[in-house]
Amino acid sequence: MVRRWTTVVLAGVLAVTSGVVPAVAQVDEGSGPCPEGAPPAPFVDVTRDSTHAPAIDCGHELDLLLGVTADRFAPARSVTRAQAASLVARTLDAARVELPPATAGRDFPDVPDAHRDNVRRLQAAGIVQGRAGGTFAGSAPVTREQFASLAVRALSVARGLDVLAVTSGAFPDVDSEVHGANVDAAEEQGVLQGRADGTFAPKADTRRDQAASVAVRLLRELRRGGGFGASDRPNRLAGGEVWVLDQGTDRIHVHDGDDGFTELTSIDVRPQTLRDAGFAAAPTGQFTVPHMIEFDSQQRYAFIAATAGGVTIVVDARSKEVVEVLPTGPGSHMAAVTPDDGAVWVAVIGTAGRADTRPDPNGGDPLPAQDRKMVEIPLDLDAEAPTFAIGRELHLDELVAPLEAANDWEYPSFSPVCHQYDPDATQAWITLGPGWNQGGLVVLDLDAGELVEEAAFDPAEVKANCGVSVTDERVIVNWSGRVVADQDTNGEWYVIDPDTYEVQRTEDTEGFDAHGLRLTPDGSSYWQVNRASDNALVIDAETLEVTRRLPNIADTPDILDYSPDGALLYITQRGPTPRSGAIHAASGQQPGVAVVDVASGRRLGVLTQAPVTDVDGRLVNDVHGIGVRVPQEGDTVPEAATVARASLDARRSDPATFGVHCSLPVTA
């Protein structure tokens, strides 16, 4: 697989595109945007056996296309740059994508009057640019690769997402640094196609019949992607309020998924910022590393476990302000709220594994192992002003020992990693790890504070070390598989009866480094992603059969969440200098959030944050946790914090300094 962080500049041609990601998986094309039974266009020079005839008929019926005369289309004639701009502008209009007024854009002197306003509208939206001398070359032909960039940028602006390909090299004859990534993206989005011989002919002029097909496909994708923006857009999706945890910059970015994914604010949780705010338990080290996030059922508060900082951060979700920092312990990996909002339990990895000691970072004698525990934060959200403090601390070393003795097993790790609750909030199902060879599964009785003895799973058979989903009907947990360079093995997912604790099925994840696992809001399907192989499975919740296999769903797909209406799936993507996770296991080139249309399995684009580099010029953004809430009446939005784009002088990129490393092998 080829991964890259790309900034593509279509200098002096049609568009500028920057950022990262998307591609096509398995898509139900459906009927598309064309009206059923659209009559043939009245063009005598368009033959019925032409590949492009249906698109010309459709485009004419929708008033996207005009002939050169009343009865002639001139299908083989080249499209000019100005004509291409007008065609794309009309397509955006047909999809009800709101563009700036013409008066907001530059007035190029060499654009024909018929296209002047459309060029100005697209320029104001950032879809086209002029050339260095202040001209546009409106009468020059637009090449096929230039038209690809124009179409991709239009999609990106309409969706509020970066639209680029995960994989490169769709066509052997495309080698342009300026347009190559956009050609790949256009092909993966289904907007452009190559020729019969597998080439693309990127330098060839775009013909009018080809442009018609591109316009109709573009309209289909604009409508499929939902209406980010105008409230009257067809198929408008409610994206929710999307909270994105960037471990590399210690920021929590909050985006408005109902309004083009604009960033509402970023919450600075760097150690010094928290110390300056007066939080006594603020991290004392260099990094916080906000790792996982979850909201209470009322969505009043967000609870963020921070691995390197050893804390759990409480944020008022309405005001977007940090209200408490609790010292839950080194390797605070996941904070999850019980279904009844009675408590938050935090899985604290401590010293990963089961050893009694840990190395001294200063080279001295071994130090005692850090506590491996589940930490309770009792909640009383009915209080007028809830307070937050640490309650019980349950040490897994002590709790697991009786299971080992009773069953003659040896768990490779006592460190809790991820957990979820039964619907009655009486039990927590906890996966152990974090390494691929440290997995296990235990069940905690929350009232008694003890492990359920009947729920004893042989760690040699149930090696779960990450994702977990619990319902009344079943429990599903997953194992990453062996994650060693050039020695990867597929992961596994296990189906367990929550009443009898019987393991009913063990299945292959069909990929390496299985990680994120989540049930759709309507309870119909599980989505399972594999970080190292970049693929996803969609599993029917009733039959437990795989219904879709989606390659290249994202770059290092990690954690999952859904939009409130379940129409969008958000998948976090890791960075090249991960703050947690082994370099092989969780290192990508496109940090951000892949946004996927659940119904079709098509990736719409990627939600990215401002890129930040260290003093050596290495990208440090590393997105891991994600949470989605429905905006509430009374929410306020503070002024967004500034994220430096050029450098973070205090930060280094050695992954060994950034706390817990998930999926690392552990050897004696």
Side-chain angles (χ1 to χ4, degrees):
M1 93 192 78
V2 178
R3 294 172 174 164
R4 60 179 181 269
W5 174 273
T6 310
T7 300
V8 177
V9 179
L10 183 49
V13 191
L14 287 174
V16 175
T17 299
S18 63
V20 265
V21 217
V24 172
Q26 298 175 356
V27 179
D28 176 11
E29 299 297 344
S31 60
C34 299
E36 187 174 349
F43 304 126
V44 297
D45 54 352
V46 176
T47 60
R48 288 295 91 197
D49 61 354
S50 167
T51 301
H52 305 288
I56 293 171
D57 295 341
C58 173
H60 181 265
E61 180 70 12
L62 296 176
D63 293 328
L64 295 180
L65 307 173
L66 303 173
V68 295
T69 66
D71 62 352
R72 292 190 178 273
F73 188 71
R77 185 180 298 180
S78 296
V79 178
T80 69
R81 287 163 51 85
Q83 290 169 345
S86 281
L87 179 57
V88 169
R90 287 196 295 270
T91 304
L92 290 167
D93 289 341
R96 301 183 193 170
V97 177
E98 187 175 349
L99 292 171
T103 53
R106 184 184 306 172
D107 189 3
F108 297 100
D110 58 344
V111 173
D113 289 344
H115 306 289
R116 186 177 303 275
D117 281 355
N118 284 330
V119 170
R120 295 183 70 181
R121 294 166 68 209
L122 294 193
Q123 192 277 329
I127 297 174
V128 302
Q129 289 191 16
R131 292 186 168 178
T135 61
F136 187 76
S139 297
V142 62
T143 65
R144 287 166 57 84
E145 63 181 4
Q146 291 170 354
F147 201 35
S149 288
L150 176 59
V152 166
R153 189 54 182 159
L155 272 178
S156 181
V157 167
R159 293 174 177 170
L161 302 167
D162 290 318
V163 179
L164 289 176
V166 169
T167 58
S168 64
F171 303 103
D173 58 338
V174 175
D175 58 4
S176 170
E177 293 185 3
V178 175
H179 304 291
N182 285 334
V183 171
D184 288 335
E187 189 272 338
E188 290 184 353
Q189 288 286 312
V191 174
L192 295 180
Q193 298 176 356
R195 296 188 169 183
D197 62 0
T199 63
F200 185 71
K203 307 297 182 184
D205 292 350
T206 302
R207 297 168 25 142
R208 285 171 55 84
D209 54 357
Q210 295 167 346
S213 288
V214 171
V216 170
R217 295 187 200 116
L218 178 60
L219 180 58
R220 178 196 66 207
E221 293 310 310
L222 289 167
R223 290 182 172 178
R224 182 203 307 281
F228 304 117
S231 60
D232 63 343
R233 296 241 335 242
N235 305 319
R236 186 173 187 268
L237 300 176
E241 191 176 270
V242 185
W243 292 50
V244 179
L245 275 55
D246 189 339
Q247 301 183 132
T249 63
D250 281 344
R251 256 73 170 200
I252 302 165
H253 299 274
V254 184
H255 297 266
D256 186 351
D258 299 334
D259 186 22
F261 294 104
T262 54
E263 182 166 328
L264 298 173
T265 190
S266 67
I267 304 167
D268 186 345
V269 294
R270 289 176 295 174
Q272 188 61 55
T273 302
L274 297 176
R275 290 194 291 268
D276 291 345
F279 293 107
T284 58
Q286 193 176 6
F287 306 104
T288 301
V289 186
H291 192 68
M292 299 279 278
I293 180 173
E294 190 166 308
F295 301 98
D296 63 80
S297 66
Q298 302 174 42
Q299 300 188 323
R300 291 175 57 190
Y301 294 96
F303 300 89
I304 297 118
T307 53
V311 297
T312 296
I313 301 167
V314 185
V315 178
D316 185 322
R318 297 164 300 182
S319 66
K320 316 296 186 290
E321 295 177 344
V322 176
V323 295
E324 189 58 86
V325 178
L326 299 172
T328 42
S332 292
H333 185 264
M334 180 178 183
V337 186
T338 57
D340 61 359
D341 286 341
V344 176
W345 284 89
V346 183
V348 180
I349 290 173
T351 299
R354 58 180 291 135
D356 295 330
T357 61
R358 58 188 171 95
D360 182 350
N362 298 317
D365 293 336
L367 301 173
Q370 295 166 326
D371 291 341
R372 296 167 279 240
K373 57 188 177 181
M374 296 294 294
V375 177
E376 180 188 34
I377 304 171
L379 297 181
D380 180 7
L381 299 184
D382 292 330
E384 183 175 345
T387 58
F388 306 94
I390 290 176
R392 291 176 291 172
E393 296 189 8
L394 306 180
H395 296 263
L396 269 293
D397 305 54
E398 301 169 1
L399 295 179
V400 172
L403 289 185
E404 290 189 320
N407 297 282
D408 196 23
W409 297 332
E410 182 175 290
Y411 285 81
S413 174
F414 299 138
S415 296
V417 177
C418 295
H419 56 293
Q420 285 297 334
Y421 310 100
D422 65 350
D424 295 332
T426 60
Q427 295 181 342
W429 291 68
I430 305 168
T431 57
L432 305 178
W436 66 265
N437 56 353
Q438 293 181 310
L441 177 66
V442 294
V443 180
L444 175 65
D445 182 316
L446 294 175
D447 289 333
E450 298 176 351
L451 296 184
V452 178
E453 293 183 5
E454 310 92 275
F457 304 99
D458 185 345
E461 297 179 3
V462 178
K463 296 169 279 190
N465 67 337
C466 195
V468 54
S469 174
V470 183
T471 68
D472 281 328
E473 292 78 24
R474 70 188 61 85
V475 176
I476 296 183
V477 293
N478 64 18
W479 172 54
S480 62
R482 181 183 177 93
V483 184
V484 178
D486 301 320
Q487 300 178 47
D488 288 328
T489 63
N490 284 3
E492 294 176 345
W493 52 281
Y494 312 96
V495 182
I496 301 169
D497 186 314
D499 296 320
T500 65
Y501 307 113
E502 176 188 0
V503 179
Q504 298 175 321
R505 297 173 64 164
T506 298
E507 301 288 347
D508 193 314
T509 65
E510 303 182 25
F512 311 138
D513 195 15
H515 206 65
L517 169 71
R518 195 133 187 163
L519 184 65
T520 54
D522 65 3
S524 64
S525 301
Y526 295 93
W527 281 67
Q528 159 77 64
V529 296
N530 297 297
R531 276 192 310 199
S533 51
D534 292 349
N535 64 311
L537 299 180
V538 183
I539 303 163
D540 184 276
E542 289 299 322
T543 66
L544 298 178
E545 298 300 319
V546 175
T547 58
R548 283 187 286 178
R549 294 171 170 86
L550 306 174
N552 295 320
I553 193 66
D555 176 40
T556 55
D558 205 317
I559 303 299
L560 314 177
D561 205 350
Y562 299 94
S563 60
D565 61 4
L568 297 178
L569 172 66
Y570 300 111
I571 309 175
T572 60
Q573 301 186 153
R574 305 298 298 279
T577 51
R579 294 300 193 243
S580 67
I583 292 298
H584 176 69
S587 176
Q589 298 301 314
Q590 302 166 346
V593 179
V595 181
V596 175
D597 175 39
V598 169
S600 67
R602 184 186 291 279
R603 187 172 39 258
L604 301 177
V606 170
L607 175 59
T608 57
Q609 290 69 50
V612 180
T613 57
D614 67 5
V615 293
D616 296 320
R618 293 176 293 189
L619 188 70
V620 300
N621 300 80
D622 182 31
V623 173
H624 185 274
I626 187 165
V628 181
R629 70 185 285 267
V630 177
Q632 308 288 322
E633 185 177 352
D635 283 0
T636 59
V637 180
E639 183 177 352
T642 301
V643 179
R645 293 172 180 264
S647 67
L648 286 177
D649 293 341
R651 306 175 92 66
R652 309 303 300 171
S653 289
D654 179 3
T657 68
F658 300 140
V660 174
H661 289 204
C662 298
S663 296
L664 280 169
V666 176
T667 57

